[in-house]
Amino acid sequence: MECFRQTVTASQSIPLPLLFLIFGSTFIGICVLSFLILFIIAPIPRPPTKAEKSFKCIEPDGSISPAQQLPCWQDTYAAAKSDAQKKGDFSSDGLGIEAAELFMSLVVPAYNEEDRLGIMLTEAVEYLDQEYGASQPSTSENGSVKARMNGHSGASNGHTTHPPPKPNQGWEVLIVSDGSTDKTIETALNFAKDLGTKSSALIRVVSLQENRGKGGAVTHGLRHVRGRYAVFADADGASRFTDLGKLVKACEQVADSKGRGIAVGSRAHLVGSDEVIKRSFLRNFLMHSFHLFLRLLTPPATAAIRDTQCGFKLFSRPSLPYIIPYMHSQGWIFDVELLMIAESAGIPVAEVPVGWKEVKGSKLNVLWDSLGMAWSLAILRAAWTFGVYRRS
C-alpha cells in the first residue's frame, strides 16, 4: 500500500504534458508490438510448386497419364490485374474471369481417404453424370455409373437411346490429395479407370507434396476449376450429394448483377435430430460454444449463417476472383474466412438445408481441433481487422 502511495505521489510531481506523452508512447508501443506479433503468427500459405499445379488422369487406353499442367484461372487473372496496375488502373472489377468450359466442377479434398473416397465418388459421379453429362449414356452401351463400377453393362433390349442434350452440360472432378501417405491417389485413379473411357478422363487427380490442411486443399482446387459452378464436398460423403441441385437453384436465385453468388449447405435443421442428440455432451457443448464465439467475432452476414462448417459449398464462377486470391487460412476454419471475404466483397450467400449423415473415420479431434479453430478464428479476425491481411 505504501508503495502505491509513493507511486501516486511521484506521478503528481510529473508535469501533465509529460505524463500524457509517457502514456501515449506506452500505448503506441503496445499497439506496434501487438501488430508485429500478429504479423508473425498470422498464417501465410506457401505458394504451390510446379508439380502441385499438374494432374494425372486415365488415358483412353486405360493407362495413367503423365503429369499434365492444370489450367489456372487465378494465374491468368493475376497477370491481367498486374498489367492493368502497370497502366495505372487499380480497379479489378472489369477484369472478370476466363469463360467456363463446362457446367459443374467438383473439388474433393482428400487426406488419407483410401477407405471412404470410393463410396463418396460413386454417389457424386452418378449424380453428375445423370444431371450434367454431355449426353446420357444409353442403357445398352454403358449402363449406370454404379453398374459400370460393378462391371455390368446394363444391357436391356439392345437398342441405343439418345435423349436430347441438356442446356447445362459438362462436369469434372478434381481430387486434391493433401499430402496423403496411404493409397488415396491410387484409389482415385482406380475409380476413374473403372468408369470406362466415357467418363474416366473427367476425373483429375492432383497431389500436394506436403499436407496443407483441408482449407489449403480446397483453395488449391478452386484455383483450377473450369466450371460455370464450382462445389467442394468432403471425401467422407457425409453430405447428400443429390442435394447439389438445391444449391445450384439457390445460387441462381441470389446471384447479383455480376453473376456472383454462393450457396452453402447447412445442417442447422438437424440440431434436434437423432444424429446430433446421440453425440457426446462434450461435442455438443463445444459445437454451441464455437457458434457463440463465431457470432461474436464475425461480421453480421457471416454471423447470421447458422452452419458455416458444412463441407458442401457452391460458388458461381464470377464470384471466385473476389474470394480465392485472398484466402489465407488452410485449416478447418477456412470456411469462415471464405464467407467473411465474400461478405466484404458484397457477394450474396444463400444457406440451404441439405441431407447429412454421421460417417465414421473423421480426422477431427473434437477437443483440440475445437480449441484450435477458436484460436485460428481470433487470429484471422484480428489479421483482417488490423490490416495484416488486405484485399490487394
Side-chain angles (χ1 to χ4, degrees), residues 205-220:
V205 182
V206 182
S207 178
L208 301 184
Q209 295 175 331
E210 298 177 5
N211 179 265
R212 287 178 176 267
K214 179 184 173 182
V218 170
T219 301
H220 185 78

mmCIF file of all heavy atoms in Angstrom, residues 205-220:
data_model
loop_
_atom_site.group_PDB
_atom_site.id
_atom_site.type_symbol
_atom_site.label_atom_id
_atom_site.label_comp_id
_atom_site.label_asym_id
_atom_site.label_seq_id
_atom_site.Cartn_x
_atom_site.Cartn_y
_atom_site.Cartn_z
ATOM 1 N N VAL A 205 -6.692 -36.000 -60.826
ATOM 2 C CA VAL A 205 -6.109 -36.214 -59.506
ATOM 3 C C VAL A 205 -4.892 -35.311 -59.338
ATOM 4 O O VAL A 205 -3.952 -35.364 -60.132
ATOM 5 C CB VAL A 205 -5.709 -37.690 -59.309
ATOM 6 C CG1 VAL A 205 -5.144 -37.892 -57.910
ATOM 7 C CG2 VAL A 205 -6.913 -38.599 -59.535
ATOM 8 N N VAL A 206 -4.946 -34.474 -58.305
ATOM 9 C CA VAL A 206 -3.879 -33.517 -58.005
ATOM 10 C C VAL A 206 -3.231 -33.943 -56.693
ATOM 11 O O VAL A 206 -3.918 -34.317 -55.743
ATOM 12 C CB VAL A 206 -4.447 -32.090 -57.868
ATOM 13 C CG1 VAL A 206 -3.332 -31.088 -57.598
ATOM 14 C CG2 VAL A 206 -5.241 -31.710 -59.116
ATOM 15 N N SER A 207 -1.918 -33.884 -56.642
ATOM 16 C CA SER A 207 -1.198 -34.306 -55.444
ATOM 17 C C SER A 207 -0.412 -33.143 -54.853
ATOM 18 O O SER A 207 0.466 -32.575 -55.514
ATOM 19 C CB SER A 207 -0.245 -35.461 -55.780
ATOM 20 O OG SER A 207 0.490 -35.850 -54.635
ATOM 21 N N LEU A 208 -0.726 -32.776 -53.616
ATOM 22 C CA LEU A 208 0.053 -31.775 -52.882
ATOM 23 C C LEU A 208 1.222 -32.483 -52.200
ATOM 24 O O LEU A 208 1.032 -33.516 -51.556
ATOM 25 C CB LEU A 208 -0.813 -31.056 -51.851
ATOM 26 C CG LEU A 208 -2.040 -30.312 -52.394
ATOM 27 C CD1 LEU A 208 -2.752 -29.565 -51.262
ATOM 28 C CD2 LEU A 208 -1.660 -29.342 -53.501
ATOM 29 N N GLN A 209 2.405 -31.921 -52.337
ATOM 30 C CA GLN A 209 3.601 -32.589 -51.838
ATOM 31 C C GLN A 209 3.649 -32.624 -50.317
ATOM 32 O O GLN A 209 4.208 -33.545 -49.738
ATOM 33 C CB GLN A 209 4.846 -31.887 -52.390
ATOM 34 C CG GLN A 209 4.957 -32.023 -53.914
ATOM 35 C CD GLN A 209 6.118 -31.231 -54.492
ATOM 36 O OE1 GLN A 209 6.520 -30.214 -53.942
ATOM 37 N NE2 GLN A 209 6.659 -31.706 -55.608
ATOM 38 N N GLU A 210 3.088 -31.624 -49.663
ATOM 39 C CA GLU A 210 3.018 -31.587 -48.210
ATOM 40 C C GLU A 210 1.589 -31.288 -47.787
ATOM 41 O O GLU A 210 0.858 -30.608 -48.493
ATOM 42 C CB GLU A 210 3.952 -30.506 -47.642
ATOM 43 C CG GLU A 210 5.422 -30.729 -47.943
ATOM 44 C CD GLU A 210 6.286 -29.601 -47.411
ATOM 45 O OE1 GLU A 210 5.744 -28.701 -46.724
ATOM 46 O OE2 GLU A 210 7.492 -29.601 -47.687
ATOM 47 N N ASN A 211 1.236 -31.810 -46.626
ATOM 48 C CA ASN A 211 -0.115 -31.569 -46.118
ATOM 49 C C ASN A 211 -0.308 -30.094 -45.799
ATOM 50 O O ASN A 211 0.465 -29.496 -45.059
ATOM 51 C CB ASN A 211 -0.353 -32.410 -44.857
ATOM 52 C CG ASN A 211 -1.720 -32.189 -44.258
ATOM 53 O OD1 ASN A 211 -1.891 -31.387 -43.357
ATOM 54 N ND2 ASN A 211 -2.710 -32.873 -44.781
ATOM 55 N N ARG A 212 -1.342 -29.487 -46.384
ATOM 56 C CA ARG A 212 -1.669 -28.085 -46.138
ATOM 57 C C ARG A 212 -2.791 -27.942 -45.114
ATOM 58 O O ARG A 212 -2.859 -26.972 -44.383
ATOM 59 C CB ARG A 212 -2.120 -27.402 -47.435
ATOM 60 C CG ARG A 212 -1.011 -27.132 -48.441
ATOM 61 C CD ARG A 212 -1.596 -26.509 -49.701
ATOM 62 N NE ARG A 212 -0.590 -26.131 -50.680
ATOM 63 C CZ ARG A 212 -0.035 -24.924 -50.764
ATOM 64 N NH1 ARG A 212 -0.382 -23.991 -49.909
ATOM 65 N NH2 ARG A 212 0.862 -24.657 -51.686
ATOM 66 N N GLY A 213 -3.684 -28.891 -45.102
ATOM 67 C CA GLY A 213 -4.918 -28.764 -44.338
ATOM 68 C C GLY A 213 -6.086 -28.708 -45.304
ATOM 69 O O GLY A 213 -5.915 -28.424 -46.498
ATOM 70 N N LYS A 214 -7.266 -28.967 -44.789
ATOM 71 C CA LYS A 214 -8.447 -29.007 -45.655
ATOM 72 C C LYS A 214 -8.643 -27.704 -46.416
ATOM 73 O O LYS A 214 -8.931 -27.703 -47.620
ATOM 74 C CB LYS A 214 -9.694 -29.311 -44.815
ATOM 75 C CG LYS A 214 -10.986 -29.347 -45.637
ATOM 76 C CD LYS A 214 -12.194 -29.552 -44.748
ATOM 77 C CE LYS A 214 -13.487 -29.418 -45.552
ATOM 78 N NZ LYS A 214 -14.689 -29.559 -44.689
ATOM 79 N N GLY A 215 -8.490 -26.576 -45.730
ATOM 80 C CA GLY A 215 -8.673 -25.284 -46.387
ATOM 81 C C GLY A 215 -7.697 -25.073 -47.520
ATOM 82 O O GLY A 215 -8.049 -24.559 -48.578
ATOM 83 N N GLY A 216 -6.433 -25.460 -47.302
ATOM 84 C CA GLY A 216 -5.430 -25.311 -48.346
ATOM 85 C C GLY A 216 -5.731 -26.174 -49.549
ATOM 86 O O GLY A 216 -5.532 -25.754 -50.694
ATOM 87 N N ALA A 217 -6.218 -27.397 -49.314
ATOM 88 C CA ALA A 217 -6.544 -28.298 -50.415
ATOM 89 C C ALA A 217 -7.741 -27.782 -51.221
ATOM 90 O O ALA A 217 -7.741 -27.813 -52.456
ATOM 91 C CB ALA A 217 -6.835 -29.700 -49.877
ATOM 92 N N VAL A 218 -8.768 -27.300 -50.526
ATOM 93 C CA VAL A 218 -9.956 -26.771 -51.216
ATOM 94 C C VAL A 218 -9.591 -25.533 -52.035
ATOM 95 O O VAL A 218 -9.962 -25.410 -53.212
ATOM 96 C CB VAL A 218 -11.067 -26.432 -50.204
ATOM 97 C CG1 VAL A 218 -12.195 -25.647 -50.882
ATOM 98 C CG2 VAL A 218 -11.627 -27.700 -49.585
ATOM 99 N N THR A 219 -8.849 -24.606 -51.423
ATOM 100 C CA THR A 219 -8.455 -23.391 -52.124
ATOM 101 C C THR A 219 -7.632 -23.716 -53.355
ATOM 102 O O THR A 219 -7.825 -23.119 -54.424
ATOM 103 C CB THR A 219 -7.650 -22.469 -51.182
ATOM 104 O OG1 THR A 219 -8.452 -22.144 -50.040
ATOM 105 C CG2 THR A 219 -7.258 -21.181 -51.889
ATOM 106 N N HIS A 220 -6.713 -24.661 -53.220
ATOM 107 C CA HIS A 220 -5.885 -25.064 -54.365
ATOM 108 C C HIS A 220 -6.755 -25.603 -55.496
ATOM 109 O O HIS A 220 -6.556 -25.265 -56.666
ATOM 110 C CB HIS A 220 -4.870 -26.119 -53.933
ATOM 111 C CG HIS A 220 -3.903 -26.501 -55.004
ATOM 112 N ND1 HIS A 220 -2.823 -25.725 -55.345
ATOM 113 C CD2 HIS A 220 -3.869 -27.577 -55.835
ATOM 114 C CE1 HIS A 220 -2.145 -26.305 -56.331
ATOM 115 N NE2 HIS A 220 -2.759 -27.432 -56.642
#
